[in-house]
Amino acid sequence: MSERLETLKKARERMIEDRDMHAKVLAAPFDRDKAERARNKFIEIQVLIDALDRAIGGEGQAR
């Protein structure tokens, strides 16, 4: 596996861990301020994960 692909996969795993932390806040008893921030971060991180997925897929096609 290329170093670039390995880096992309590690970044994706890290972002999934971060996203999961925000999901736990969303699943906890409702606190409007915390939930708003967690929702926004969750969406931001999910967009990044989707971009990493596309980059990972592109690496496989580039070879």
Side-chain angles (χ1 to χ4, degrees):
M1 181 179 338
S2 76
E3 184 178 340
R4 183 182 303 142
L5 183 57
E6 186 175 323
T7 300
L8 289 168
K9 287 183 176 185
K10 284 180 183 178
R12 184 181 187 281
E13 283 301 312
R14 169 91 35 91
M15 292 300 99
I16 288 172
E17 290 171 8
D18 286 353
R19 182 194 62 190
D20 289 350
M21 287 189 314
H22 294 291
K24 287 178 183 177
V25 172
L26 292 170
F30 187 71
D31 175 324
R32 185 182 191 109
D33 188 44
K34 285 182 183 179
E36 241 177 66
R37 283 181 286 159
R39 183 179 58 236
N40 290 335
K41 289 301 289 181
F42 183 93
I43 292 167
E44 179 184 319
I45 293 168
Q46 185 60 47
V47 168
L48 179 53
I49 291 169
D50 292 342
L52 286 165
D53 285 342
R54 289 191 305 274
I56 291 166
E59 278 296 307
Q61 293 176 356
R63 301 209 179 264

